[in-house]
Every structure is written in C-alpha cells, then in structure tokens.
Amino acid sequence: MNNPKKVTIKNLTKVFTSNKKEVTAVDNIDLEIQPGEFVCLLGPSGCGKTTTLRMLAGFEVPTSGNIFIGDKDIANLTPDKRNTAMVFQNYALFPHMNVYDNISYGLKIQKRPKAEIEERVKEILKIMKMEDFANRVPSQMSGGQQQRVSLARALIMNSEVLLFDEPLSNLDAKLRLHMRDEIRKLQQRIGITSIYVTHDQAEAMALSDKIVIMKDGKIMQVGSPKEIYQKPNSEFIAKFIGRANIVKGVVVNQDSNFKDIDIYGTIYKVESDKILNIGDSVEIVIRPESIITNQPGHSGKVVKSIFMGEVHEYEVILNNQVIEICVHSPLGKIIKNVDEILDFKFDNLAMHII
Ligand SMILES: Nc1ncnc2c1ncn2[C@@H]1O[C@H](COP(=O)(O)OP(=O)(O)OP(=O)(O)O)[C@@H](O)[C@H]1O
Ligand SMILES: [Mg+2]
C-alpha cells in the first residue's frame, strides 16, 4: 500500500450549462483531507456531492480551482493518471466477466506480469473473504457480494485515494449496516484516504472521521460526527443531523465562556465562546434526548405520548412551540399522557447557541 496521501481542494467550482441556463453545482469550495482520513460528503439531493467526487476522480473538469493529492496538482490529469479509484452505487462490474477477471482488469490494462496479477488478486480476494467466488459472474451473486467485488477492484489498484458514491444505497437495510462496518474496518486496516458520498446521515456518522455538510454547492460545516451533532453552526445543520429543538432565549449575564440564558423565565448556564452582549436574543439547539422530564423548569401540555420500547417519545407545547422530547429506558419512569401537563428542563451541558 502507498503512503496515505493528503487531499487538498482549493476554490473548486463547477458550473454546468444546460438549456442555456447555468447551474453552479459546486461553488468555490475549500477542503483539506488528512492522510488516511475517512471523510463523508453529506447533504440534500442536488447539493453537489457527486459533482465534487467526479472532479476528484477526473470524470468532470472543474470550471476553476485546484485539487492536490499530496503536493501534486491533479486537476488537469485524466482519470487513469490520478491514482484514485472509485466505487459506484451500481457496482459497474463487467457482467460477462467472472470475479477474477473483473478484479484483475485494471492490472491487465497496466500490463503487469501474470504472476504478479495472480498473487494480488488472491490477496485481495482473501482480504474481502471472497476466495470461493473467483469463478462466478455478477449475475450469480447478491448485491452485497457484487459490491464487495467492486470494492476489491478499486483496492487492488493500490490507489492513493478511494472515492465512493453512495455505494450501499442499492442494498437492503441489514446488508447496508453490515457492509458499512466492513468498509470502515477495511479502510482503517489499510489506512487509505477515503472520500465517501452519501445522503444517509447515520451512514456518515458511523463511517467518518470528518463529515462535510454541503448545501447548494457550498460547504456549510466540517467537523467530526460529534462536533457536527453537538455544535451545529446553523439551524440547517442542526435539523439535518438528527432531530433538534430550536428555542429562543435572552442573554442575561456572561462570564468568559459561560452565558446565562433566560428561556421563558428559567435561567440556564450555557458554555459558548460566542461574543454576545447582555440583552441579545439567541437561538439554542437542544436535542430531544437532552431534555430531562419530571423536573421543575418548564411545564407544557402533552400533545403526543408514544411508548416505543427503548424510548418514550413526547411532543409538548411550550409557548406555542412544539418541543420534541425523547426519554430513554422509559420503563418504571413517570409517563404523562396526551392532554396532561409534563414538567421538564433542558440539560444545560447539552445546549448549544447557534
Ligand atoms: N451534467 C450535468 N449537466 C447539468 N447539470 C448538472 C449535471 N450534473 C449535475 N448537474 C446539476 O448540478 C447540481 C449538483 O448535482 P450532483 O449530482 O452533484 O448532486 P448530489 O449532491 O450528488 O445529489 P444526489 O444526492 O441527488 O445524488 C444539481 O443541480 C444537478 O442538477
Ligand atoms: Mg449524487
């Protein structure tokens, strides 16, 4: 395996022209991906994820900007000169070739010696636990097995960067979870820099060292799954990753990194390095699972109360706003029904000012 490589994207833009109209699919993005890092590009449909990935792979020419692998600017190289390998959503295997020929295809094109090809295919089949499948053609395999072959085909090229475009979205839910863990384990074992496009937030949380959230061709936030979840920088991010209540409050006091926030008459001490003044209105993100029930603070009428086994889900009205509350391990806890009044407070350690 090559040394893991850093990937640097600078001022990258892609403008498509269709029907004489210009669409800015990727709008001047900057991104640094450290050697060996697993990064997910996440965002709503049409936000520019695939276009970004295709520019990295060389299938799309940037309108402007630079892409570096290590110190080398690759933006103007053809795909075969880039040392990247891509795994596609639809596997893109050759249907008439067996697994062995599919996997060895790239090495044959490179005219590697036959003995070397045999050795490398054997090794990769072992890594992928697919030794028994060498002679099968794609139609004789399940979707998950085919996707493992397409992963093997990408890995065997000893590329410097692996690119994935929604590789699991054609698989059923259970297989998806299994393959997700396989991909993560494999990537950690071989340490290859990987960029993975998905619009499934759970997938991004489970796989990533770093998540890049895009919207309308722009990068909205970059951070670890925990940073993105705990400290979203906007209402868009807060609601895109997980569920979020956004409540309004007023700054009533502050002491270095702590702000006293008045939320409908209850004061919370919230950690934040934001520069704020006393009297400022703020918006605060509070996750449904970070609300403590049957505690003095706020009182609200219950409009939804559903026992789900592991959790109990509430919706409660607070000052004309619906607040979602999720109580874990509800068995044995006091549970309120619809139309009853629930007392609750926010966990100040989990509150975040946006
Ligand atoms: N070849 C093209 N010609 C014109 N417009 C394009 C082309 N490819 C993509 N676009 C447009 O660029 C924007 C970004 O598309 P892209 O495929 O990168 O989105 P995406 O984030 O991958 O979305 P999805 O989650 O649906 O796959 C969209 O508005 C899309 O319609
Ligand atoms: Mg896409």
Side-chain angles (χ1 to χ4, degrees):
M1 189 48 64
N2 295 315
N3 279 337
K5 286 285 187 331
K6 179 169 169 174
V7 175
T8 312
I9 294 175
K10 281 196 179 148
N11 307 118
L12 191 66
T13 294
K14 178 71 189 181
V15 180
F16 288 109
T17 309
S18 61
N19 300 333
K20 293 187 185 152
K21 263 172 98 188
E22 289 194 340
V23 178
T24 306
V26 176
D27 193 357
N28 199 20
I29 63 169
D30 288 294
L31 184 62
E32 264 194 16
I33 298 165
Q34 300 308 319
E37 222 170 20
F38 199 117
V39 169
C40 279
L41 305 183
L42 179 68
S45 183
C47 71
K49 306 180 293 292
T50 296
T51 307
T52 303
L53 204 70
R54 288 173 60 80
M55 286 194 279
L56 287 164
F59 301 140
E60 214 70 78
V61 180
T63 306
S64 58
N66 304 89
I67 302 166
F68 297 88
I69 295 183
D71 298 327
K72 198 160 112 191
D73 189 343
I74 59 153
N76 294 311
L77 299 181
T78 53
D80 55 313
K81 300 275 184 317
R82 290 191 176 205
N83 237 339
T84 55
M86 185 133 160
V87 182
F88 298 89
Q89 177 174 354
N90 57 4
Y91 325 133
L93 298 175
F94 300 113
H96 57 287
M97 287 187 196
N98 68 18
V99 167
Y100 186 97
D101 291 337
N102 261 291
I103 295 177
S104 59
Y105 183 80
L107 296 176
K108 279 186 190 147
I109 296 288
Q110 287 185 348
K111 302 206 165 34
R112 311 299 306 175
K114 194 156 182 263
E116 182 197 324
I117 295 180
E118 262 175 32
E119 193 184 324
R120 281 170 65 176
V121 174
K122 230 172 118 182
E123 187 192 344
I124 205 82
L125 283 172
K126 194 166 165 212
I127 291 176
M128 301 306 296
K129 299 196 177 73
M130 297 219 62
E131 292 115 308
D132 298 338
F133 290 79
N135 296 318
R136 293 207 204 175
V137 292
S139 62
Q140 295 169 324
M141 289 183 292
S142 71
Q145 288 158 348
Q146 290 183 54
Q147 194 51 292
R148 255 149 74 203
V149 176
S150 88
L151 195 55
R153 189 179 57 177
L155 288 172
I156 202 167
M157 301 311 291
N158 279 353
S159 302
E160 293 174 330
V161 179
L162 265 186
L163 305 169
F164 300 85
D165 193 3
E166 312 225 13
L168 307 183
S169 46
N170 289 350
L171 306 179
D172 68 47
K174 201 170 160 200
L175 193 54
R176 238 182 127 115
L177 290 183
H178 174 74
M179 285 295 294
R180 178 175 97 183
D181 292 346
E182 293 278 300
I183 288 176
R184 183 59 173 151
K185 271 191 235 153
L186 199 67
Q187 190 269 345
Q188 283 180 330
R189 185 139 51 94
I190 60 182
I192 184 170
T193 309
S194 303
I195 303 165
Y196 188 107
V197 163
T198 179
H199 59 245
D200 179 335
Q201 46 141 316
E203 207 163 279
M205 297 286 269
L207 283 168
S208 310
D209 294 310
K210 211 155 80 181
I211 298 179
V212 176
I213 300 191
M214 296 180 69
K215 185 184 170 207
D216 300 334
K218 293 193 178 66
I219 292 178
M220 307 300 288
Q221 190 168 1
V222 179
S224 68
K226 204 166 163 187
E227 278 162 356
I228 298 262
Y229 191 78
Q230 285 186 333
K231 297 185 180 346
N233 66 9
S234 63
E235 184 171 342
F236 168 75
I237 304 277
K239 293 200 163 153
F240 193 74
I241 293 276
R243 292 185 298 158
N245 299 294
I246 312 278
V247 291
K248 287 187 167 36
V250 177
V251 181
V252 291
N253 206 348
Q254 60 177 331
D255 163 21
S256 66
N257 270 356
F258 287 91
K259 320 284 190 257
D260 289 341
I261 309 288
D262 181 342
I263 298 176
Y264 305 131
T266 303
I267 311 291
Y268 292 95
K269 205 170 261 310
V270 180
E271 194 173 3
S272 171
D273 54 14
K274 278 215 152 65
I275 298 166
L276 295 168
N277 295 311
I278 291 174
D280 281 353
S281 293
V282 287
E283 290 195 317
I284 291 147
V285 181
I286 182 85
R287 301 289 181 183
E289 70 276 15
S290 301
I291 298 177
I292 307 157
T293 53
N294 303 310
Q295 290 269 336
H298 311 281
S299 299
K301 188 169 156 182
V302 175
V303 290
K304 180 177 136 185
S305 174
I306 299 179
F307 175 71
M308 302 284 290
E310 282 175 29
V311 295
H312 193 100
E313 301 277 356
Y314 284 115
E315 281 179 14
V316 176
I317 304 294
L318 175 66
N319 278 47
N320 296 322
Q321 184 185 350
V322 176
I323 302 288
E324 289 182 56
I325 302 176
C326 177
V327 179
H328 284 268
S329 311
L331 288 176
K333 290 188 179 154
I334 301 165
I335 294 297
K336 293 292 170 81
N337 298 314
V338 170
D339 289 339
E340 289 184 315
I341 298 296
L342 179 72
D343 296 327
F344 61 94
K345 69 168 190 184
F346 305 133
D347 176 359
N348 68 311
L349 298 177
M351 294 167 80
H352 174 69
I353 303 174
I354 46 178

